[in-house]
Amino acid sequence: MDLIAQRRHMLTGACYNDLTPELVEARARAVHLSDRYNDSFGRPQGEREQLLRSLLHHVGNGAHFEPRFRCEFGFNISVGEKFYANFDCIILDAATVSIGDNVLFGPRVGIYTANHATDPDERTAGACYARPVKIGNRVWIGAGVHINPGVTIGDNSIIGSGSVVTKDIPSSVIAAGVPCRVIRSITQDDRTGFSAF
């Protein structure tokens, strides 16, 4: 099975063989391209975005990862406009990872779509499956957050530092903890009157 067919199979959520030569080569490509991107720090933003576009499925204008950024394949990741990730972001993208506009990541955020088989014989043989992750618009993910397979985080929400997100988080809430849970809604009372102008 070629890489395109394997990718389609992975995206269905069915078990796939993580050890095939095509997937090993695709991972090596992602390491090479992410190294080029990371090493371009300080160069003009347009050049850096072009490198990022060669790695990821979709890149909005103004997208930026601080070094060091790592992903598993890259071809299943879409980031929106004005996305910013602080240093040491890791994304395992065997399934789709969709990140909206104006999203902020603190340092050392990890997104994991892939999981290994439960059965030890299947796991040793390379059996994996993956579930998509979706992050809405204007979301803030705190430092050291881990986002697990199959999670959706709604628009305008905040995930507190050190959280482990194992289930969907609705829009316009502050959520935190291990496992992550909703603390409260974001309301008009959170407005401070700040203006950048």
Side-chain angles (χ1 to χ4, degrees):
M1 190 183 311
D2 69 6
L3 180 60
I4 293 170
Q6 287 191 57
R7 181 179 174 208
R8 269 192 294 240
H9 182 75
M10 289 162 54
L11 293 176
T12 68
C15 275
Y16 62 92
N17 184 350
D18 193 45
L19 304 176
T20 65
E22 295 84 3
L23 293 183
V24 170
E25 183 179 327
R27 279 189 205 89
R29 175 189 175 276
V31 169
H32 173 72
L33 290 174
S34 61
D35 279 346
R36 284 182 57 206
Y37 175 76
N38 289 322
D39 292 343
S40 74
F41 186 77
R43 298 188 63 129
Q45 177 67 12
E47 282 183 40
R48 300 195 79 234
E49 283 182 24
Q50 194 56 41
L51 285 168
L52 205 51
R53 285 185 177 93
S54 67
L55 174 61
L56 307 184
H57 176 70
H58 173 79
V59 177
N61 292 324
H64 177 82
F65 290 86
E66 294 286 340
R68 306 264 341 147
F69 165 59
R70 282 284 187 239
C71 60
E72 186 173 16
F73 300 108
F75 50 57
N76 290 325
I77 301 171
S78 295
V79 297
E81 306 286 313
K82 299 180 182 173
F83 167 77
Y84 174 82
N86 213 316
F87 61 83
D88 294 341
C89 179
I90 297 171
I91 303 177
L92 299 184
D93 61 302
T96 58
V97 174
S98 176
I99 301 170
D101 297 334
N102 296 293
V103 173
L104 301 173
F105 282 7
R108 296 193 170 112
V109 168
I111 299 175
Y112 313 101
T113 65
N115 207 341
H116 298 284
T118 302
D119 178 81
D121 291 331
E122 292 178 357
R123 185 170 56 248
T124 304
C128 289
Y129 62 93
R131 303 288 184 267
V133 168
K134 182 176 182 186
I135 298 172
N137 297 313
R138 302 190 322 172
V139 171
W140 176 18
I141 308 291
V145 169
H146 297 283
I147 301 170
N148 284 346
V151 166
T152 296
I153 298 173
D155 292 345
N156 304 313
S157 286
I158 297 170
I159 307 297
S161 296
S163 296
V164 178
V165 186
T166 59
K167 63 181 181 179
D168 292 352
I169 301 296
S171 294
S172 301
V173 299
I174 297 171
V178 180
C180 190
R181 64 195 181 289
V182 173
I183 306 297
R184 69 174 178 87
S185 294
I186 297 172
T187 68
Q188 292 296 324
D189 292 338
D190 290 304
R191 290 187 177 270
T192 65
F194 171 80
S195 174
F197 303 104

